[in-house]
Amino acid sequence: ASYIFEAYLFVDADATGGHKYALDGTVTASSIKYQVNSISNASNLNVINTRLTALAGTAGQAGATQVYTEIIGVIASSAAGTLNVQFAQQVASGTSSVLTQSSLQAIKVV
């Protein structure tokens, strides 16, 4: 089956620790392609603009503190499983968080 997925994340990041994203899960991905875009609320600039084509690939950045991140893509799976958005700091410093009212949805493509 194939799915379109969209994650919308509101993030407060430590200026030094930053923010980093990945997708993982138990799903067996025949193919996957997704775009990670993060916009700094302070500067209105893209601070991450990365295309990834594998589970467990990462995209991250340090410096921006209030960030809006979209992860949008398509996955073809050959076996059922879960798909998770992972969040971490770019480096171990301070505290960074994904805020409430962030979301992830997946829609089966017929």
Side-chain angles (χ1 to χ4, degrees):
S2 294
Y3 296 86
I4 296 170
F5 56 87
E6 304 170 338
Y8 303 104
L9 309 172
F10 303 99
V11 176
D12 280 349
D14 180 81
T16 303
H19 52 116
K20 179 168 61 173
Y21 310 90
L23 293 178
D24 80 337
T26 61
V27 66
T28 302
S30 304
S31 66
I32 186 169
K33 187 178 293 177
Y34 57 102
Q35 182 73 25
V36 180
N37 292 324
S38 291
I39 300 169
S40 166
N41 292 132
S43 67
N44 203 29
L45 297 175
N46 285 323
V47 293
I48 299 174
N49 184 350
T50 303
R51 181 186 306 164
L52 298 166
T53 57
L55 291 174
T58 64
Q61 182 268 350
T65 55
Q66 291 184 337
V67 179
Y68 170 73
T69 299
E70 292 182 348
I71 303 172
I72 299 173
V74 177
I75 184 170
S77 62
S78 58
T82 62
L83 180 66
N84 305 309
V85 174
Q86 291 184 319
F87 173 80
Q89 289 181 237
Q90 181 72 359
V91 297
S93 178
T95 302
S96 297
S97 302
V98 174
L99 304 178
T100 60
Q101 297 178 324
S102 295
S103 65
L104 169 65
Q105 71 173 349
I107 302 165
K108 189 172 185 177
V109 179
V110 179

